[in-house]
Every structure is written in C-alpha cells, then in structure tokens.
Amino acid sequence: MDFVFDEDQEALADTVKRLLMTEMTPELIRELWTTPTGRSDALWSLFASQGLTAVSVPEAHGGLGLSEVEWALLAQTYGYFGSPEPLLDTALVAAGVLERLPSSGWRDALLRDVAEGRARVALVHPANPYAEDVHVAHTLLCEHRGALHRVDPKQCAWRALDSVDPSRRLFMLDWEPSSATRIAGREEAAPILARALDHGAFAVAAQMLGLTQRVLDVAIDYSAQRKQFGRAIGSYQALKHLLADVAIRYEFARPVLARAAAALADDHPQRAVFVSHAKLAAVAAAQLAARHAMQVHGAIGYTWELDLQIFMKRIWALAHTWGDSAFHKARVADAILGDALAIGPAQTFDLEEQ
C-alpha cells in the first residue's frame, strides 16, 4: 500500500493547527473547567466559521463532503491541543449516522444545522456506558434494544457524573423510547451503529496520536530547561531512551491510523479490524507517552499547576471510550484466528501478480 496525504489535506491541517494554537490554549481549558457547561459557544462558532463542523456533511446539505482521510490529520491536530468541545462527536460520528438515515425533513435540516454550527448532536451508543455532552446537545440520537431513536434533550432527565478529566461532561441519561422517537428499527440501525462505533474509535485513535505528540513535546521542552548538576536533564542518556521509546511507538502508530482512515473512506470489508488496530496502537503510544513524561518531570509532574496533567488526564479518559483495549483486541483476534482477514506480505502490501 502506497499512501501519502496530498498538499490540500496537509494545508487544511496546518490551517486548523494555526487556529487552535491561538484559540485553544491551556489557560482556556482551565477556565472552561470552572464554567457551568464546560463548553464555549464562541469557540464552537469559530469552528463553524472555519468549516470544521461541515467536514463530513455532504455538499448537498451545505457541507464539505470530505472523508475520514481528511479527519485523520484534523483529529490528530484537534487532539494535540486537548480541546474539550465535542467537535468529533458531532461533525464526524453523529454526522455519519445522519448521512446514512433515509432522507427526511428533520434529518436534512439537522445536517444543515450541523454544517453551519447551529447544532451539537450527541450519540448515545451502547459502546459507551455514559452519555456525553447531552447538556449542550440540540438533538440526541439514542440506541435502545438495537433500534435508533431521535430524542429531544428537554424531554430527558440526566445526572452529571465526575470524570478523571475535568474537560469531559458525562451523564446518566433517563428517557422514554416510543414509536414516535424511533427513526430506525433494529435491522436498519445495526449497520449504522456499527459504523458509528468505528468512527468513534477512529476519532479516539487520532486524538490519542495528537496527545502523544503533545505530551512528548512537553517532556522534551522540560528536559531541555530543567538542570541538575549543572546540566540539562535531557542530556542524560536514560531520559533520551525514555523519550525515544515514545517517538518510535508514535511513528509506528501513524501509518496504522492512516490505514484505518482509508478503510473507512473506502468502506473496506475489514474496516473494523483496521480501526481496532489503530485504536490499540494509538492508545499504547499515548499511555507510554504519559507514563514516560511523568518520569521525566519527576514529582512536579503530579502537581495541578503543570499543563502536563491536562493532556495526561485526557489520555486516561479517552483510552476506555468507544471500546476498551480488551474489546478491540478481541475484534482483531477474531478476524485473524477466524480466517476473516487475509494475512501475508502480498496482502499487507497489495502486491499484484506479475
């Protein structure tokens, strides 16, 4: 397989990086922790003005009609800055669900609202034990006994739950399903929910790679500034090895994520396996980065004042969303041991017979 991002995709990611570098600062993240919603309408409007909420929405509904390949870079950039806004949940996961529902007045209008930044949409999926961001959602898409329902948040009751990551807003949701709320039966909803799971896991994997790079950058900067015995601690070989291990794990995970993005974009028959592989590789890299960055910082790494904790907590929280490691290892194992996935060099590199 020969895969590279083209100039337009790289340019789009660079534009988003410059935007977030200015707007999505650790100071803003800390400030949002203290607000009632933990979310910023001004920031969401800014994302919409830059077209981020419209990335996955079809052009017929006012969107950009781009694919998961573009998201592979955008989501990594988004993860690097640790933004708390549910952009990927709405603009990638929920938009993908809406796109595959039959055309209707409410569905088409909601897609346009998502594209223009007028609506956040929360998907309540059985892969996640708790609902996220229902307090700011315009619409809820909820699974119940395999069917999919459209629910008005005003008609629900919810109870807030604590998370290790103060940026996350989790809820126990109480709502009443009915024939009026059902938008897809069990058979129609099954492939839609399966693809939503793949989108969610892919979004987490991409953010994890961004967080890996951020934590690595923080650790490198600290090791260059912190001195002991008259030398920067980064000059000691033991610390170099710690950071090099993270860099290697990160580089090995990047092509795996790109493969998952291409599989999603092409609706590859084995996309679930590629997505699970990407999440496993990205989570492993991010967790190693968090652990080694903490060792580089020493005791000060545990303090509330350092920005390192913002990104470490996000790593810890995201690692178990959209399927934990046991779930994704089982998907990969079932595909390989069950002969569902063709293996070998010819399959890996798409070699053609001469």
Side-chain angles (χ1 to χ4, degrees):
M1 177 183 180
D2 184 10
F3 181 92
V4 293
F5 295 102
D6 62 35
E7 292 183 2
D8 290 339
Q9 292 162 342
E10 295 278 5
L12 179 59
D14 287 341
T15 299
V16 173
K17 183 175 182 179
R18 289 193 295 270
L19 171 70
L20 294 176
M21 189 181 301
T22 303
E23 302 294 338
M24 199 67 257
T25 62
E27 291 75 21
L28 176 60
I29 293 174
R30 291 173 182 270
E31 180 183 336
L32 291 174
W33 287 350
T34 64
T35 63
T37 65
R39 302 292 177 257
S40 169
D41 290 338
L43 193 59
W44 190 264
S45 296
L46 181 61
F47 291 161
S49 69
Q50 298 298 312
L52 293 179
T53 56
V55 170
S56 291
V57 177
E59 293 183 41
H61 299 98
L64 299 178
L66 301 179
S67 74
E68 293 82 359
V69 174
E70 282 76 21
W71 274 118
L73 291 176
L74 293 177
Q76 286 183 68
T77 303
Y78 199 71
Y80 183 91
F81 292 95
S83 176
E85 293 293 332
L87 176 65
L88 297 173
D89 292 341
T90 291
L92 173 59
V93 183
V97 170
L98 292 171
E99 182 185 357
R100 284 162 179 78
L101 289 171
S103 180
S104 63
W106 72 264
R107 174 260 199 186
D108 296 346
L110 186 54
L111 276 171
R112 287 191 293 270
D113 287 343
V114 168
E116 296 175 10
R118 293 196 298 265
R120 297 182 180 94
V121 181
L123 175 63
V124 182
H125 194 285
N128 296 318
Y130 306 119
E132 293 187 51
D133 291 291
V134 300
H135 63 313
V136 295
H138 174 277
T139 301
L140 304 181
L141 302 175
C142 302
E143 182 273 346
H144 179 72
R145 295 183 178 178
L148 190 60
H149 295 255
R150 176 170 65 103
V151 183
D152 185 346
K154 296 178 182 178
Q155 304 301 317
C156 302
W158 60 72
R159 176 170 60 87
L161 301 171
D162 292 330
S163 170
V164 67
D165 177 8
S167 290
R168 299 187 76 204
R169 294 294 188 268
L170 303 178
F171 300 89
M172 288 290 292
L173 188 64
D174 185 16
W175 62 284
E176 190 67 30
S178 68
S179 58
T181 62
R182 187 170 58 249
I183 56 177
R186 183 176 299 180
E187 291 185 4
E188 297 85 1
I192 296 175
L193 290 170
R195 189 171 180 86
L197 170 60
D198 291 337
H199 272 154
F202 165 74
V204 170
Q207 290 180 87
M208 282 294 204
L209 282 190
L211 287 162
T212 299
Q213 185 63 64
R214 183 60 178 267
V215 170
L216 181 60
D217 288 347
V218 170
I220 291 172
D221 289 345
Y222 182 80
S223 68
Q225 297 171 13
R226 179 77 168 95
K227 293 184 178 181
Q228 286 184 346
F229 308 110
R231 294 174 56 188
I233 61 173
S235 65
Y236 294 102
Q237 195 168 23
L239 263 67
K240 290 181 181 179
H241 286 173
L242 291 179
L243 300 179
D245 287 344
V246 174
I248 292 171
R249 190 71 66 90
Y250 169 77
E251 291 297 334
F252 272 97
R254 287 177 61 201
V256 177
L257 180 74
R259 182 66 181 92
L264 281 166
D266 297 338
D267 201 17
H268 192 283
Q270 296 299 331
R271 70 165 195 266
V273 180
F274 296 130
V275 169
S276 288
H277 184 194
K279 188 169 189 288
L280 289 168
V283 167
Q287 290 179 331
L288 183 70
R291 185 163 61 250
H292 284 189
M294 179 63 75
Q295 288 185 273
V296 169
H297 281 77
I300 197 173
Y302 288 93
T303 62
W304 184 266
E305 288 75 15
L306 257 66
D307 292 340
L308 175 64
Q309 53 117 353
I310 297 174
F311 309 108
M312 289 182 61
K313 288 174 179 175
R314 193 138 189 88
I315 289 171
W316 296 336
L318 287 179
H320 301 287
T321 60
W322 292 107
D324 59 14
S325 293
F327 171 83
H328 289 287
K329 285 179 180 178
R331 288 217 298 184
V332 173
D334 288 345
I336 295 176
L337 301 180
D339 295 328
L341 184 66
I343 59 176
Q347 299 297 328
T348 302
F349 299 104
D350 293 336
L351 298 179
E352 298 182 358
E353 293 185 4
Q354 301 297 325

